Structures are given as C-alpha cells and as structure tokens.
Amino acid sequence: MLAEDSTLLREGLVRLLAEEGHEVLAAVGDAVALLREVEARPPDLVVVDIRMPPTHTDEGLRAALEIRERWPGIGVLVLSQHLERAYAAQLLTSNAERVGYLLKDRVAQVEEFLDALERIRAGGAAIDPEVVRQLVVRTTHSDPLARLTPRERSVLEALAEGHTNAAIAEKLHISMSTVEKNLNTIFDKLELARTTGSNRRILAVLRYLES
C-alpha cells in the first residue's frame, strides 16, 4: 500500500511496483485513508510519506508508528523529502525489523529503492545512505566513533544501512571474515553489547548514534 499526497509521485510508484510484479492493494493521499485501508486488508508492506495532509507535518510518521504497533508483521518504508533526524530516530530506535527510512531522491534510483523494499519484506532494515552518513559523521575527540579506522567506519555505515554481512563484503570488496572481524572490533570500540542477529545489531548502532 502507498500513501503519498503528490499524485504524480504516487501514480509513478504504483506503475513502477506493478511493472516489477508487486500488487498494489491501495494508493491513497493521506494518513487517515492509509490506516483505514490497512485495517481493512493488511498488506505485506506500506510505503508512506512523512508529511501529508492536512497539516503536512508528521501525519505519515504517526501513521507509520501506529501501523508498526498494531500490525508488527507489516513492513513499513517511510519516505522523506529531507533528512528529519528526530523522525528517523523515532521510527528506527523502537525496532529495526521490517522498517526503512529513505529520502525521496532515492526512489529515482530504482534498483536501490526495490532492493530496500525486498530487505524490509524479508524482515530486515533499509536506511538511506545519506541518513547514515550524517549520523556517522562525528569527529570530536570524546566521540567513540573517532576511534574507528576508515575501513571500520565504512563497515559501520553499510551495517546501519541494513546490509547483511555478505552484502557488506560484496559492497566493500572484502572477505566475509574481514567483515566479521571489523564488526567485532566496531562493537568493542563502541562499547556495545554483543548480540546476535543483524537487526538487533543495526538497532544497537542506531541507538548509539542518536544518543
């Protein structure tokens, strides 16, 4: 299901998804209509704009949070015109499963957009690289992120975007063992508890970055 008040973008997404073999159960222009449609026939995945009528502030975000609370099995991908750090943190730090946050410019990069949908549908996360970059770029001496090597920083960014270990290895052209070694070092340097499962690790990283 889609919720986007721009008719042009909404219809473009409907056409794109249909061409890629997805069934679009509903495409609406406001958050109230989205919640009504989700309740009537819950979809596998919802794509929703943060700012929608009537106030164009956070209606879409609030709808996304309600969907995640009432229907935790539904994947939610939130689109934003600009990076909203507080909104991103609110969406991502409660649970990093079946969730994504992308800037609208990313939709034009069709393969990345479709890849994000697949990751969310499969139970993972998809965080816009620009969002991750702005969260990760901290250089004060008191910041533990300053302890990371350039390679470790690259691995952390890819991890926070929602990539699996195998995808990180392919993206950075390194071996799986190197990825695993870097991840262990990253968590030690950031003083994060060792956990299993990529989603929990992503959640831990994002919680730390927004602390």
Side-chain angles (χ1 to χ4, degrees):
M1 289 185 178
L2 302 174
E4 165 61 54
D5 63 307
S6 167
T7 303
L8 184 61
L9 178 56
R10 185 172 68 245
E11 293 305 316
L13 287 172
V14 169
R15 178 173 298 183
L16 169 64
L17 293 172
E19 289 176 351
E20 293 296 325
H22 298 282
E23 181 184 2
V24 180
L25 297 179
V28 299
D30 63 79
V32 173
L34 173 64
L35 291 173
R36 184 171 58 246
E37 292 289 349
V38 169
E39 187 167 24
R41 43 180 179 171
D44 296 323
L45 182 67
V46 166
V47 179
V48 54
D49 186 11
I50 281 183
R51 299 178 181 272
M52 289 196 297
T55 68
H56 294 278
T57 54
D58 64 349
E59 283 87 350
L61 175 69
R62 286 189 279 110
L65 293 172
E66 182 173 343
I67 290 169
R68 284 172 61 70
E69 180 179 354
R70 295 176 60 186
W71 300 280
I74 296 177
V76 174
L77 174 60
V78 169
L79 301 179
S80 179
Q81 188 66 45
H82 307 288
L83 172 58
E84 308 270 7
R85 292 183 61 130
Y87 291 164
Q90 190 174 354
L91 177 72
L92 301 171
T93 57
S94 60
N95 185 343
E97 295 182 354
R98 298 183 180 87
V99 64
Y101 183 99
L102 293 183
L103 300 180
K104 284 189 175 180
D105 288 345
R106 197 70 53 187
V107 176
Q109 302 176 33
V110 175
E111 291 303 321
E112 291 190 32
F113 174 63
L114 295 175
D115 177 65
L117 293 179
E118 287 302 318
R119 274 188 271 158
I120 296 168
R121 184 194 60 79
I127 315 303
D128 195 286
E130 179 61 19
V131 174
V132 174
R133 187 190 69 78
Q134 293 199 34
L135 293 177
V136 169
V137 175
R138 291 177 171 180
T139 57
T140 63
H141 293 297
S142 61
D143 180 8
L145 287 172
R147 306 173 192 166
L148 302 183
T149 66
R151 171 65 73 196
E152 290 163 356
R153 188 179 291 268
S154 296
V155 171
L156 174 62
E157 290 178 2
L159 175 69
E161 288 169 21
H163 293 294
T164 63
N165 286 9
I168 293 172
E170 181 178 358
K171 180 177 182 177
L172 300 180
H173 307 290
I174 55 180
S175 67
M176 282 281 289
S177 62
T178 299
V179 172
E180 292 167 1
K181 179 180 178 181
N182 276 273
L183 287 175
N184 287 333
T185 302
I186 288 167
F187 279 99
D188 286 342
K189 288 183 176 181
L190 299 184
E191 301 176 356
L192 295 169
R194 299 282 182 100
T195 59
T196 59
S198 60
N199 292 329
R200 284 192 290 270
R201 289 185 295 166
I202 295 166
L203 178 57
V205 171
L206 289 172
R207 279 178 173 167
Y208 176 80
L209 294 174
E210 278 300 287
S211 65

